[in-house]
Amino acid sequence: MKLIIPVIATLILVFSTSGVVQAAPLKTHVEQFNVVNAPNNENLKQTLQGILTSRLSPDLVQLVEKPDQAELLVIGSYALFGKMFSLDVLIKNKGNGGLIKVFEQGEGQEDVIPALGRLARKIDAELAKIPVSVPLPISPVASQITVKEKYVLHTDPSTKDSQDSWSSTPLDGAFSSIAMGRTSAAGERELFIAGEQTVRAYIKGSGLNLVAEITIPATGKILAIDTADLDRDSSPELYVTIIDRKMPRSRVYQFNGTAFVVIAENLPWFFRGIGHDVTSRTIYAQEIDNDGKYYGDVKELSKSNTRFTAVKPLKLPRSANIFNFNRITEASGKDIFIALDEDGYLVVYSSADSEVWKSGEKYGGSESFFNNESHSNSRSSRDTNRWMFLEQRIMLLKDGTLIVPRNEGTLGFGNIRNFDKHSLFAFEWTGAVLKEKWHTRRSTGYLADYAFDQASREVLLLEVVQKPGLFNKGKSVISINRID
C-alpha cells in the first residue's frame, strides 16, 4: 500500500500537468495587407502578404488558403509617412478569441523586405508563447521527466541587431560561397562572399561595409572560396576555386584591407579549406580529368612565396571528394573519414576504406555545380554533359562537434534542384555511431554556404532569400548567430 500511493500520486501529477514542448503548427491564414499612403497599393497588398507568408516559420504555422480553415488570422497593414513606414499586424486566435499586436518600423524602400523579416521573427516569437497542453511521458520517477532542448542558435526576434544575432539587409545577387578573414582588436571582421563571377570583401563592424570587389573573366565560373594563412605570416590568403572552359583555373589573392592582390592564377586544382580558424587551416587540392571527374588523390597545398605545390596525398574513401569530406582523429590516433555520399547520406569510414556507419536520413544539398562534356554520360542519357554538384561543408569544431547542414526542397528529374528551407545539425562520434547533439529550427531560404568563428562561437550563414530569374539577379543575406 505504501508503494501504491506514491505511484498513483506520480501518475496524477503527470497527467494533470503540461510540458512546454514544440506544438503542432497552427493553421494560419495571412490576409492581404491594408496599404495606406503608398503608390501602387493594389499590387503592394498582395506582395506584402506573399513576402511575410514566406518568412513565417513552418515549424509554427501551417498555411491555409481560406480564413474559415484557420485557427489564426494574421491581418496586416502598411502605412507610409514620408520616408518612414510602419508595418502593423493583428493576430486573431479563433480558438480563445485572443488578440496579439506586433509592429515593425523602417525607413526607405530598401528596408521594407528586411523589416518584413524582422516582423516575421516577432510573430514567430509570439506564436511560440501560445501554451499547448500535452501530456508528458510517464516515468517511474517524476524527477526524471525532462524535455530536451533541440535548438541552440538563439536569436532575439525583438531587435534588428542584437548581441547574439545579426542579419544584413538583402544583397543584390545570389551568392554561393562565404569565408572569414581576420578579426581586428576592435572586433571588426573581414568577410568574403562570392557569386559566379565576382568576389566581394566586406568589413563587418556595427554594420556591413563593402570595401572591395573583383570580377573574373566571363568564360570562368567561381565554385567556392576559402581562406588560410599557409605560410603563417599573419596575412591570410583567399583561395578562389574557378572552372574555366571545363578545367580548373583557380586563383589565390591577398586582401590588404582595401583591395585584392593576385598572387597566383591558372592553378590546376579545386580548393577546400579544413581547420578551426584561418591561422591553422589546411587547404586541400584536387584535379579533375577531361571527362569532368575528380582525378587523383586529394593533397595538401603548400605555399612558398608565390609558388604553390600539392603535397602529402590523402587517400579518401571511394565516395569522397574534395568538397564532401572531413576526418576525425580518435583518441587512439586513428583517422576516420566522414563523407556525404551522392544520395546525401552521411557515411563514416575507417582509414581502410570500409564503411562502419551510415545515417538513416539525408543531409547536405547544394545548388552549386560544374559540368563538362562527357561521352560516357551521353551513352546513358540524352545529356552530353556530366553535372557535378558540390556538397555542403562538413565542419569539425575544436570540441569534436561535427556540423552538417541540410537543405530541403525540390530534387526534380535530371539536374533540377530548388532548395527553399535549411537547418544545421550537430553530431558527435561515439566510436560506433554519429550521435545527434542538437539541430536548429528549419528556416526559410536556401543555405548556400556557412562559416564558423571558433573564438566567438558564432556561425555565419550565407542564405539566398530570392532566387535569380529573368528580370532579377536574386537576393542574398548574411546572418550571424551565436551557438550557446
Side-chain angles (χ1 to χ4, degrees):
M1 185 67 180
K2 289 181 180 180
L3 291 175
I4 294 175
I5 292 175
V7 171
I8 294 175
T10 300
L11 290 173
I12 293 173
L13 177 63
V14 168
F15 284 106
S16 63
T17 59
S18 298
V20 181
V21 297
Q22 179 76 25
L26 295 168
K27 294 181 179 179
T28 303
H29 174 75
V30 180
E31 296 190 352
Q32 288 192 6
F33 272 62
N34 179 39
V35 178
V36 180
N37 296 332
N40 198 22
N41 62 351
E42 287 303 317
N43 290 334
L44 199 55
K45 291 178 180 180
Q46 188 171 357
T47 300
L48 294 171
Q49 175 197 31
I51 293 175
L52 178 63
T53 299
S54 69
R55 281 153 176 75
L56 295 176
S57 171
D59 291 323
L60 296 170
V61 302
Q62 176 189 341
L63 297 172
V64 295
E65 289 189 27
K66 299 178 181 179
D68 57 4
Q69 299 171 330
E71 300 168 272
L72 298 177
L73 294 178
V74 177
I75 304 166
S77 67
Y78 171 82
L80 187 64
F81 307 96
K83 293 184 178 180
M84 297 293 298
F85 64 84
S86 179
L87 293 161
D88 297 84
V89 162
L90 180 67
I91 305 171
K92 291 185 177 181
N93 190 323
K94 294 170 65 175
N96 59 20
L99 298 175
I100 300 172
K101 295 181 180 180
V102 183
F103 75 91
E104 184 62 49
Q105 295 177 331
E107 181 178 357
Q109 185 178 12
E110 67 278 0
D111 193 37
V112 173
I113 294 178
L116 284 163
R118 302 194 297 269
L119 182 67
R121 291 196 293 271
K122 287 184 177 181
I123 293 172
D124 288 344
E126 293 296 331
L127 298 185
K129 296 176 185 178
I130 297 176
V132 177
S133 296
V134 180
L136 291 171
I138 299 175
S139 171
V141 182
S143 62
Q144 294 177 353
I145 302 174
T146 59
V147 178
K148 183 180 180 180
E149 173 59 62
K150 290 286 188 183
Y151 309 108
V152 300
L153 294 187
H154 297 296
T155 62
D156 181 358
S158 63
T159 61
K160 178 182 178 181
D161 194 345
S162 71
Q163 182 179 359
D164 293 340
S165 175
W166 174 88
S167 182
S168 72
T169 58
L171 309 173
D172 287 333
F175 293 91
S176 58
S177 191
I178 188 170
M180 285 179 50
R182 297 164 293 189
T183 301
S184 71
E188 291 188 329
R189 180 188 281 147
E190 293 174 344
L191 295 181
F192 307 102
I193 63 171
E196 288 191 359
Q197 307 280 192
T198 61
V199 180
R200 292 182 181 177
Y202 289 91
I203 300 297
K204 167 64 178 75
S206 57
L208 189 68
N209 298 313
L210 177 64
V211 292
E213 183 173 356
I214 52 172
T215 303
I216 66 167
T219 54
K221 177 181 180 180
I222 297 171
L223 298 179
I225 57 175
D226 287 276
T227 52
D229 184 7
L230 293 191
D231 53 10
R232 307 298 188 251
D233 64 353
S234 300
S235 181
E237 308 87 40
L238 179 69
Y239 294 84
V240 183
T241 295
I242 300 171
I243 190 162
D244 189 345
R245 285 158 287 191
K246 309 302 182 182
M247 293 303 292
R249 290 182 171 88
S250 298
R251 295 184 178 185
V252 182
Y253 294 86
Q254 280 192 315
F255 178 66
N256 62 16
T258 58
F260 291 101
V261 179
V262 179
I263 58 175
E265 56 186 337
N266 293 322
L267 299 176
W269 306 292
F270 290 164
F271 300 130
R272 176 65 98 201
I274 294 180
H276 299 135
D277 53 52
V278 70
T279 60
S280 61
R281 186 168 298 133
T282 299
I283 297 292
Y284 290 96
Q286 190 173 22
E287 300 178 65
I288 61 171
D289 61 20
N290 293 329
D291 205 28
K293 295 180 181 179
Y294 295 105
Y295 172 75
D297 292 329
V298 167
K299 299 178 181 179
E300 292 186 19
L301 199 68
S302 173
K303 178 179 183 291
S304 176
N305 295 320
T306 60
R307 183 171 178 268
F308 292 87
T309 54
V311 299
K312 298 181 181 179
L314 186 64
K315 189 66 176 178
L316 294 183
R318 289 183 301 274
S319 65
N321 61 66
I322 189 169
F323 293 118
N324 72 350
F325 88 99
N326 208 318
R327 59 176 172 172
I328 295 176
T329 301
E330 297 183 308
S332 63
K334 177 183 176 182
D335 282 344
I336 61 166
F337 292 93
I338 297 97
L340 282 162
D341 69 15
E342 61 182 7
D343 296 317
Y345 293 100
L346 267 175
V347 186
V348 178
Y349 299 89
S350 70
S351 56
D353 197 21
S354 61
E355 181 182 312
V356 295
W357 182 87
K358 186 174 182 177
S359 67
E361 297 184 54
K362 295 184 180 182
Y363 299 91
S366 172
E367 294 181 11
S368 295
F369 69 93
F370 65 94
N371 56 20
N372 207 341
E373 187 174 358
S374 170
H375 299 293
S376 61
N377 200 57
S378 63
R379 289 194 294 269
S380 58
S381 71
R382 297 181 180 179
D383 194 344
T384 59
N385 285 324
R386 179 187 301 279
W387 292 68
M388 303 290 285
F389 284 89
L390 279 63
E391 254 305 350
Q392 293 288 335
R393 299 177 191 270
I394 301 175
M395 193 172 293
L396 182 66
L397 309 187
K398 278 187 176 180
D399 63 2
T401 300
L402 198 71
I403 305 294
V404 184
R406 173 190 284 169
N407 275 310
E408 299 176 63
T410 303
L411 282 175
F413 293 103
N415 303 300
I416 299 174
R417 291 190 175 192
N418 183 23
F419 296 111
D420 56 10
K421 297 180 181 64
H422 68 270
S423 49
L424 291 177
F425 288 76
F427 299 90
E428 63 178 345
W429 175 245
T430 67
V433 299
L434 276 178
K435 181 181 178 182
E436 184 184 325
K437 296 176 64 175
W438 49 259
H439 66 265
T440 65
R441 176 179 293 168
R442 187 172 56 176
S443 300
T444 302
Y446 163 58
L447 178 62
D449 196 11
Y450 72 107
F452 184 75
D453 188 332
Q454 186 69 55
S456 63
R457 291 193 62 80
E458 289 177 320
V459 63
L460 291 75
L461 306 178
L462 177 63
E463 303 163 272
V464 177
V465 295
Q466 182 187 78
K467 299 294 179 67
L470 291 176
F471 304 105
N472 68 80
K473 296 180 180 179
K475 299 281 186 183
S476 301
V477 167
I478 299 172
S479 61
I480 302 175
N481 293 276
R482 185 167 61 85
I483 296 182
D484 291 337

